[in-house]
Protein backbone atom coordinates (compact mmCIF):
# COMPACT_ATOMS: atom_id res chain seq x y z
CA UNK A 1 0.00 0.00 0.00
CA UNK A 2 2.83 2.39 0.84
CA UNK A 3 4.54 1.60 -2.47
CA UNK A 4 1.34 2.49 -4.35
CA UNK A 5 0.94 5.68 -2.36
CA UNK A 6 4.49 6.80 -3.03
CA UNK A 7 4.11 5.88 -6.70
CA UNK A 8 0.87 7.85 -7.07
CA UNK A 9 2.31 10.85 -5.28
CA UNK A 10 5.34 10.90 -7.54
CA UNK A 11 3.15 10.80 -10.63
CA UNK A 12 0.96 13.58 -9.24
CA UNK A 13 3.96 15.79 -8.58
CA UNK A 14 5.36 15.04 -12.04
CA UNK A 15 2.07 15.86 -13.74
CA UNK A 16 1.81 19.14 -11.86
CA UNK A 17 5.37 20.06 -12.85
CA UNK A 18 4.71 19.25 -16.52
CA UNK A 19 1.54 21.36 -16.50
CA UNK A 20 3.43 24.25 -14.94
CA UNK A 21 6.11 24.04 -17.62
CA UNK A 22 3.49 23.90 -20.36
CA UNK A 23 1.60 26.84 -18.89
CA UNK A 24 4.84 28.82 -18.65
CA UNK A 25 5.60 28.02 -22.31
CA UNK A 26 2.17 29.22 -23.42
CA UNK A 27 2.48 32.43 -21.41
CA UNK A 28 6.01 32.99 -22.72
CA UNK A 29 4.83 32.63 -26.30
CA UNK A 30 1.92 34.95 -25.57
CA UNK A 31 4.30 37.58 -24.18
CA UNK A 32 6.44 37.25 -27.29
CA UNK A 33 3.43 37.82 -29.55
CA UNK A 34 2.08 40.84 -27.68
CA UNK A 35 5.33 42.67 -26.94
CA UNK A 36 6.82 42.23 -30.41
CA UNK A 37 3.51 43.08 -32.08
CA UNK A 38 3.34 46.25 -30.04
CA UNK A 39 6.84 47.23 -31.16
CA UNK A 40 6.46 46.55 -34.87
CA UNK A 41 2.96 48.02 -35.11
CA UNK A 42 4.16 51.12 -33.27
CA UNK A 43 7.06 51.52 -35.68
CA UNK A 44 4.68 50.89 -38.60
CA UNK A 45 2.63 53.83 -37.41
CA UNK A 46 5.67 56.06 -37.88
CA UNK A 47 7.28 54.57 -40.97
CA UNK A 48 6.70 51.95 -43.63
CA UNK A 49 10.39 51.27 -44.17
CA UNK A 50 10.93 47.49 -44.16
CA UNK A 51 14.46 47.81 -42.77
CA UNK A 52 13.29 49.87 -39.82
CA UNK A 53 10.49 47.40 -39.09
CA UNK A 54 12.86 44.43 -39.25
CA UNK A 55 15.43 46.13 -37.04
CA UNK A 56 12.87 47.10 -34.43
CA UNK A 57 11.26 43.66 -34.47
CA UNK A 58 14.56 41.81 -34.13
CA UNK A 59 15.68 44.12 -31.34
CA UNK A 60 12.43 43.51 -29.48
CA UNK A 61 12.66 39.76 -30.03
CA UNK A 62 16.23 39.50 -28.76
CA UNK A 63 15.73 41.87 -25.83
CA UNK A 64 12.52 40.17 -24.76
CA UNK A 65 13.78 36.61 -25.10
CA UNK A 66 17.02 37.34 -23.24
CA UNK A 67 15.15 39.18 -20.51
CA UNK A 68 12.68 36.31 -20.11
CA UNK A 69 15.48 33.74 -20.03
CA UNK A 70 17.51 35.71 -17.47
CA UNK A 71 14.49 36.26 -15.25
CA UNK A 72 13.51 32.61 -15.39
CA UNK A 73 17.08 31.52 -14.64
CA UNK A 74 17.26 33.72 -11.54
CA UNK A 75 13.82 32.65 -10.34
CA UNK A 76 14.38 28.92 -10.80
CA UNK A 77 17.90 29.14 -9.35
CA UNK A 78 16.40 30.62 -6.20
CA UNK A 79 13.82 27.84 -6.09
CA UNK A 80 16.52 25.17 -6.57
CA UNK A 81 18.64 26.72 -3.82
CA UNK A 82 15.63 26.60 -1.49
CA UNK A 83 14.98 22.95 -2.35
CA UNK A 84 18.59 22.00 -1.75
CA UNK A 85 18.63 23.88 1.56
CA UNK A 86 15.46 22.10 2.67
CA UNK A 87 16.94 18.70 1.76
CA UNK A 88 20.16 19.51 3.62
CA UNK A 89 18.17 20.49 6.71
CA UNK A 90 16.12 17.30 6.50
CA UNK A 91 19.24 15.17 6.13
CA UNK A 92 20.80 16.79 9.19
CA UNK A 93 17.65 16.25 11.25
CA UNK A 94 17.55 12.60 10.19
CA UNK A 95 21.08 12.15 11.48
CA UNK A 96 20.58 14.07 14.72
CA UNK A 97 17.02 13.06 15.72
CA UNK A 98 16.05 9.93 13.79
CA UNK A 99 13.28 8.88 16.20
CA UNK A 100 11.63 12.28 16.12
CA UNK A 101 11.78 12.26 12.33
CA UNK A 102 10.27 8.78 12.22
CA UNK A 103 7.43 9.93 14.45
CA UNK A 104 6.94 12.99 12.24
CA UNK A 105 6.76 10.86 9.09
CA UNK A 106 4.32 8.51 10.78
CA UNK A 107 2.12 11.46 11.75
CA UNK A 108 2.17 12.81 8.21
CA UNK A 109 1.11 9.45 6.78
CA UNK A 110 -1.60 9.16 9.41
CA UNK A 111 -2.82 12.59 8.35
CA UNK A 112 -3.22 11.23 4.82
CA UNK A 113 -5.82 8.75 6.06
CA UNK A 114 -3.84 5.73 7.27
CA UNK A 115 -4.53 4.20 10.66
CA UNK A 116 -1.93 4.85 13.34
CA UNK A 117 -0.58 1.31 13.17
CA UNK A 118 -0.38 1.20 9.39
CA UNK A 119 1.13 4.69 9.26
CA UNK A 120 3.82 3.66 11.73
CA UNK A 121 4.66 0.51 9.78
CA UNK A 122 4.74 2.44 6.51
CA UNK A 123 7.01 5.08 8.03
CA UNK A 124 9.40 2.39 9.26
CA UNK A 125 9.54 0.69 5.87
CA UNK A 126 10.00 3.95 3.97
CA UNK A 127 12.73 5.03 6.38
CA UNK A 128 14.57 1.73 5.99
CA UNK A 129 14.39 2.00 2.22
CA UNK A 130 15.39 5.68 1.85
CA UNK A 131 14.71 7.99 4.76
CA UNK A 132 15.65 11.22 3.00
CA UNK A 133 13.52 10.46 -0.05
CA UNK A 134 10.56 9.54 2.14
CA UNK A 135 10.69 12.82 4.05
CA UNK A 136 11.43 14.83 0.92
CA UNK A 137 8.38 13.51 -0.92
CA UNK A 138 5.90 13.22 1.96
CA UNK A 139 6.94 16.22 4.06
CA UNK A 140 8.47 18.64 1.56
CA UNK A 141 6.83 17.61 -1.73
CA UNK A 142 10.25 17.41 -3.40
CA UNK A 143 11.67 14.67 -5.60
CA UNK A 144 15.42 14.64 -4.77
CA UNK A 145 16.20 13.24 -8.23
CA UNK A 146 14.15 15.82 -10.11
CA UNK A 147 15.08 19.25 -8.77
CA UNK A 148 14.21 22.24 -10.89
CA UNK A 149 16.90 23.06 -13.47
CA UNK A 150 17.47 26.80 -14.07
CA UNK A 151 19.17 26.21 -17.42
CA UNK A 152 16.24 24.18 -18.71
CA UNK A 153 13.84 26.86 -17.50
CA UNK A 154 15.85 29.66 -19.11
CA UNK A 155 16.11 27.78 -22.41
CA UNK A 156 12.41 26.96 -22.48
CA UNK A 157 11.50 30.57 -21.73
CA UNK A 158 13.85 31.85 -24.44
CA UNK A 159 12.43 29.48 -27.06
CA UNK A 160 8.80 30.14 -26.10
CA UNK A 161 9.20 33.91 -26.30
CA UNK A 162 11.12 33.67 -29.56
CA UNK A 163 8.49 31.43 -31.14
CA UNK A 164 5.77 33.90 -30.23
CA UNK A 165 7.76 36.93 -31.32
CA UNK A 166 8.55 35.51 -34.76
CA UNK A 167 4.91 35.64 -35.83
CA UNK A 168 4.35 39.42 -35.71
CA UNK A 169 7.89 40.01 -36.96
CA UNK A 170 7.37 37.91 -40.09
CA UNK A 171 3.83 39.23 -40.54
CA UNK A 172 5.03 42.83 -40.65
CA UNK A 173 8.01 42.38 -43.01
CA UNK A 174 6.90 39.71 -45.50
CA UNK A 175 3.62 41.03 -46.99
CA UNK A 176 3.43 43.97 -49.42
CA UNK A 177 3.50 47.39 -47.77
CA UNK A 178 -0.24 47.94 -48.29
CA UNK A 179 -1.14 44.74 -46.43
CA UNK A 180 1.45 44.68 -43.65
CA UNK A 181 -0.64 46.20 -40.90
CA UNK A 182 -3.79 44.22 -41.69
CA UNK A 183 -1.93 40.91 -41.96
CA UNK A 184 -0.05 41.58 -38.72
CA UNK A 185 -3.14 42.51 -36.73
CA UNK A 186 -5.09 39.50 -37.97
CA UNK A 187 -2.17 37.11 -37.39
CA UNK A 188 -1.58 38.45 -33.88
CA UNK A 189 -5.25 38.26 -32.91
CA UNK A 190 -5.44 34.68 -34.21
CA UNK A 191 -2.33 33.73 -32.23
CA UNK A 192 -3.70 35.38 -29.08
CA UNK A 193 -6.98 33.53 -29.50
CA UNK A 194 -5.01 30.27 -29.64
CA UNK A 195 -2.85 31.02 -26.61
CA UNK A 196 -5.88 32.25 -24.68
CA UNK A 197 -7.75 29.03 -25.47
CA UNK A 198 -4.76 26.90 -24.54
CA UNK A 199 -4.08 28.68 -21.25
CA UNK A 200 -7.75 28.41 -20.32
CA UNK A 201 -7.77 24.68 -21.02
CA UNK A 202 -4.65 24.18 -18.92
CA UNK A 203 -6.16 26.10 -16.03
CA UNK A 204 -9.70 24.67 -16.36
CA UNK A 205 -11.01 28.20 -16.85
CA UNK A 206 -13.77 29.58 -19.06
CA UNK A 207 -12.40 29.44 -22.61
CA UNK A 208 -14.50 32.22 -24.16
CA UNK A 209 -13.65 34.75 -21.48
CA UNK A 210 -9.93 33.91 -21.62
CA UNK A 211 -9.82 34.21 -25.41
CA UNK A 212 -11.65 37.53 -25.46
CA UNK A 213 -9.51 38.91 -22.64
CA UNK A 214 -6.32 37.85 -24.40
CA UNK A 215 -7.36 39.24 -27.77
CA UNK A 216 -8.66 42.44 -26.19
CA UNK A 217 -5.39 43.06 -24.36
CA UNK A 218 -3.39 42.50 -27.51
CA UNK A 219 -5.66 44.75 -29.57
CA UNK A 220 -5.35 47.55 -27.02
CA UNK A 221 -1.56 47.18 -26.94
CA UNK A 222 -1.31 47.39 -30.73
CA UNK A 223 -3.76 50.29 -30.87
CA UNK A 224 -1.84 52.31 -28.30
CA UNK A 225 1.58 51.73 -29.86
CA UNK A 226 0.30 52.41 -33.39
CA UNK A 227 -1.25 55.69 -32.24
CA UNK A 228 1.98 56.67 -30.52
CA UNK A 229 4.03 55.78 -33.61
CA UNK A 230 1.65 57.65 -35.91
CA UNK A 231 1.80 60.73 -33.69
CA UNK A 232 5.58 60.70 -33.57
CA UNK A 233 5.75 60.15 -37.33
CA UNK A 234 3.38 63.05 -37.93
CA UNK A 235 5.52 65.48 -35.97
CA UNK A 236 8.69 64.24 -37.66
CA UNK A 237 10.34 62.62 -34.66
Amino acid sequence: MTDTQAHDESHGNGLGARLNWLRAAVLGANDGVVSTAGIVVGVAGATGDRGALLTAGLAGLLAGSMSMAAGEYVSVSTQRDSEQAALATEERELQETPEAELAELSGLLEGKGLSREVAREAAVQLTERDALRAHAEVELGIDPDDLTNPWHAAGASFLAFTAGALLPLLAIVLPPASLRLVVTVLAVLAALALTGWWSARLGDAAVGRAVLRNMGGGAVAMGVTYAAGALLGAVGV
Side-chain angles (χ1 to χ4, degrees):
M1 185 172 184
T2 50
D3 288 346
T4 302
Q5 180 184 6
H7 183 71
D8 289 344
E9 183 176 358
S10 176
H11 275 285
N13 291 338
L15 178 60
R18 286 193 295 272
L19 287 176
N20 285 336
W21 280 109
L22 186 56
R23 186 177 293 110
V26 172
L27 294 177
N30 192 80
D31 287 344
V33 171
V34 174
S35 60
T36 307
I39 291 172
V40 297
V41 168
V43 174
T47 177
D49 182 70
R50 190 189 301 269
L53 293 170
L54 180 60
T55 300
L58 281 175
L61 183 155
L62 292 173
S65 59
M66 293 300 294
S67 175
M68 290 282 289
E72 195 70 12
Y73 179 83
V74 171
S75 174
V76 175
S77 292
T78 301
Q79 179 182 345
R80 185 183 179 90
D81 290 344
S82 298
E83 291 173 342
Q84 290 176 328
L87 290 173
T89 298
E90 199 63 40
E91 187 172 19
R92 185 179 67 252
E93 291 175 347
L94 285 167
Q95 293 174 352
E96 296 175 353
T97 57
E99 287 301 321
E101 290 299 301
L102 179 61
E104 181 182 32
L105 181 59
S106 178
L108 290 170
L109 293 173
E110 186 177 349
K112 290 179 177 292
L114 299 179
S115 67
R116 179 171 299 180
E117 294 76 14
V118 173
R120 177 72 181 186
E121 178 60 26
V124 170
Q125 291 188 24
L126 289 172
T127 298
E128 290 175 349
R129 179 178 299 176
D130 191 333
L132 180 59
R133 174 176 293 278
H135 281 267
E137 293 183 347
V138 177
E139 181 181 348
L140 304 176
I142 297 174
D143 182 351
D145 295 330
D146 190 27
L147 299 182
T148 52
N149 188 312
W151 288 108
H152 290 172
S157 182
F158 179 91
L159 291 175
F161 187 96
T162 299
L166 281 173
L167 184 137
L169 176 59
L170 295 176
I172 201 73
V173 299
L174 292 182
S178 60
L179 298 177
R180 284 175 189 163
L181 193 59
V182 174
V183 170
T184 301
V185 170
L186 291 178
V188 167
L189 291 179
L192 292 178
L194 178 60
T195 56
W197 172 83
W198 201 350
S199 62
R201 291 296 300 272
L202 289 173
D204 292 326
V207 172
R209 184 184 306 170
V211 168
L212 290 176
R213 183 169 55 230
N214 215 32
M215 293 176 65
V220 169
M222 288 187 290
V224 169
T225 56
Y226 181 81
L231 178 61
L232 291 174
V235 298
V237 175

